[in-house]
Amino acid sequence: PDEAATADNGVVNHDDKYKWPENLYVEMRDMSAVAFLIYAFGYASDVARRIRQQETDAGGTRFEGLEWDGDSGRLKKKSSAQQQLHLARSFTPKEVLDLMEVNRDLLRAEYPKMFGETSQFELMMKNLKVLQERADAFGSGKDGRPLSLEEYDDRHQKHELVYGITKDDINKRVTIVFRGTDNELSFGTNWLTNMYISKCKAEAKTSPNDAGGHSFPPEVQKAAPDGLWFHSGFYNYIFGLTKDEDDDAKWRKYDEIFKDLRAVLDKCKENADPSNPYKVYVTGHSLGAALATMTSFFLACESDDVIPKPVTCIHFASPRIGDDNVLNATRAMEKSGKLRILRVWNDNDTVAVVPMTNYYHVGVQLRLFRSPLTDPEI
């Protein structure tokens, strides 16, 4: 609609210089599109890792265009004398498209359903081309890469969550994308974590030096004085210790995500007006949606000097993540202007209604129906 009444007088109206999209459907479209960039690179990364394990000195097939960064253990572009170091792990939609095309036979061998003559593959390529067209229409920008994948971590994908972080100079946003479960790559590994329905308490810090607790702002403490209880499987995925032997003994996956996010935000400062910083978005599908919801909440609890507000989470087909205290705390963060959550789900989607006992959804709901005669329900 052209006009809509304010739903709650207590909701903060954002009057900063940031140019918000004209409506939520535009934001939904953008989140879906950037997810294709992450998912496409995810397939390339996975197959490149498999092939690397199969290579021998006698001569093995190599995945063209990628190699390993010995310091980080993550993938980067093949070495080039002209290549700048800070661009080694940055990939534009066009560069991901090229990886897909030149290595399609290798990708098809590992994932024949996805990379055969299928509509799924064509849809992925189409979305990558749309992203590149948007980037080309915007212009080169300061670094010549207005839309790019900046970080991708799947080093321990059998045991840890997988995520990517994109930089978008067109819309002035940095987006964290969590991989979900509705694809060949993650089915059978990630989905098992969804099955744990017990809850665990997110403990608040007892002192500034308490490394294990959370710093909750006053509105959260007031809304949920008895504490926050989250789905233990999702919570442990985010706040469990990392599997990398080189990490500090207390280094959590959240710490890794936060470090990568801050690095990309710092990079964006070069292209931004100091009074109008880039915004943080988080998205995901299925399991990825649950991780996105939880991560966006904790990022919104961080200091405004560290994470620009509001944090926006637009996710798809999420299961429920916490108790009524989590619901109340999320509402308080939304009303304070620190958090925006849109939950999109299809009618009759069974994933979106579990777990059922004493679990609640959060955010604004957009329910989509299969019949074209039924309007979406907000």
Side-chain angles (χ1 to χ4, degrees):
D2 294 331
E3 297 181 3
T6 301
D8 191 320
N9 291 331
V11 175
V12 173
N13 292 317
H14 304 290
D15 57 359
D16 56 19
K17 295 181 180 180
Y18 186 76
K19 184 178 180 181
W20 292 96
E22 58 186 271
N23 56 55
L24 285 173
Y25 287 102
V26 173
E27 292 180 278
M28 284 172 52
R29 177 205 67 188
D30 291 350
M31 292 299 100
S32 298
V34 79
F36 274 100
L37 178 62
I38 299 297
Y39 293 163
F41 188 82
Y43 280 108
S45 174
D46 184 67
V47 173
R49 288 181 184 279
R50 294 188 187 193
I51 290 175
R52 184 194 187 199
Q53 295 172 355
Q54 299 167 3
E55 287 177 357
T56 63
D57 293 337
T61 303
R62 290 183 175 273
F63 196 93
E64 293 297 325
L66 294 178
E67 65 180 8
W68 262 258
D69 181 345
D71 294 331
S72 68
R74 300 183 184 183
L75 285 165
K76 66 177 183 178
K77 299 185 185 76
K78 285 285 179 68
S79 297
S80 168
Q82 290 77 33
Q83 183 174 291
Q84 298 181 52
L85 181 62
H86 72 282
L87 297 180
R89 296 214 315 267
S90 174
F91 294 85
T92 65
K94 177 62 168 59
E95 289 168 341
V96 176
L97 266 170
D98 291 343
L99 287 175
M100 297 291 102
E101 291 175 347
V102 73
N103 294 291
R104 186 172 179 181
D105 288 343
L106 298 177
L107 291 163
R108 184 190 292 116
E110 297 292 339
Y111 295 104
K113 291 182 179 180
M114 182 66 205
F115 290 95
E117 300 301 327
T118 67
S119 58
Q120 285 183 320
F121 175 74
E122 296 304 325
L123 180 61
M124 179 183 292
M125 299 298 278
K126 178 181 178 180
N127 277 275
L128 289 174
K129 290 175 182 176
V130 169
L131 284 175
Q132 188 58 46
E133 288 170 0
R134 291 180 192 169
D136 293 340
F138 177 77
S140 61
K142 288 189 176 181
D143 65 357
R145 308 168 70 80
L147 182 59
S148 58
L149 167 62
E150 294 296 312
E151 295 289 349
Y152 185 80
D153 187 0
D154 66 346
R155 287 171 293 174
H156 305 287
Q157 63 178 346
K158 290 185 178 180
H159 309 287
E160 295 182 352
L161 61 83
V162 175
Y163 68 94
I165 301 180
T166 64
K167 173 182 69 70
D168 181 352
D169 296 331
I170 304 169
N171 297 290
K172 300 295 186 292
R173 67 170 68 120
V174 173
T175 303
I176 305 172
V177 181
F178 288 99
R179 196 176 72 192
T181 55
D182 191 18
N183 60 67
E184 279 187 273
L185 188 55
S186 56
F187 184 79
T189 55
N190 291 351
W191 185 244
L192 297 178
T193 302
N194 292 25
M195 295 297 101
Y196 297 108
I197 61 173
S198 62
K199 297 186 184 78
C200 62
K201 187 177 183 181
E203 299 288 351
K205 283 184 179 291
T206 56
S207 69
N209 296 324
D210 181 2
H214 301 283
S215 297
F216 292 125
E219 52 264 57
V220 169
Q221 298 178 39
K222 181 179 179 180
D226 297 327
L228 305 175
W229 290 82
F230 289 96
H231 182 291
S232 61
F234 304 149
Y235 183 87
N236 290 332
Y237 235 179
I238 296 172
F239 290 101
L241 300 179
T242 59
K243 303 297 182 181
D244 197 318
E245 296 179 354
D246 295 329
D247 287 344
D248 183 87
K250 296 182 178 180
W251 192 249
R252 307 167 301 178
K253 198 64 184 180
Y254 179 83
D255 299 322
E256 186 77 21
I257 297 167
F258 187 85
K259 182 190 75 171
D260 286 342
L261 174 61
R262 279 302 321 164
V264 179
L265 285 171
D266 288 343
K267 184 176 183 179
C268 291
K269 286 181 179 180
E270 302 172 4
N271 301 329
D273 179 348
S275 64
N276 182 24
Y278 282 46
K279 299 299 184 184
V280 173
Y281 277 67
V282 192
T283 191
H285 172 265
S286 192
L287 168 61
L291 301 176
T293 307
M294 197 176 297
T295 300
S296 65
F297 175 82
F298 284 97
L299 288 175
C301 290
E302 299 283 354
S303 167
D304 292 353
D305 296 334
V306 178
I307 299 295
K309 306 298 189 303
V311 174
T312 297
C313 179
I314 298 177
H315 59 72
F316 305 87
S318 176
R320 298 182 174 106
I321 66 162
D323 68 354
D324 56 343
N325 291 308
V326 173
L327 172 61
N328 294 334
T330 301
R331 285 174 171 170
M333 293 295 281
E334 288 174 310
K335 288 185 176 182
S336 69
K338 295 182 178 180
L339 181 62
R340 303 167 66 232
I341 296 180
L342 176 66
R343 180 174 71 88
V344 184
W345 68 294
N346 292 327
D347 187 42
N348 296 325
D349 185 348
T350 56
V351 174
V353 297
V354 296
M356 300 183 69
T357 306
N358 297 322
Y359 278 88
Y360 297 84
H361 279 302
V362 297
V364 175
Q365 170 186 276
L366 175 60
R367 185 180 182 185
L368 305 178
F369 296 88
R370 181 180 298 273
S371 171
L373 301 178
T374 306
D375 292 331
E377 177 184 278
I378 300 178

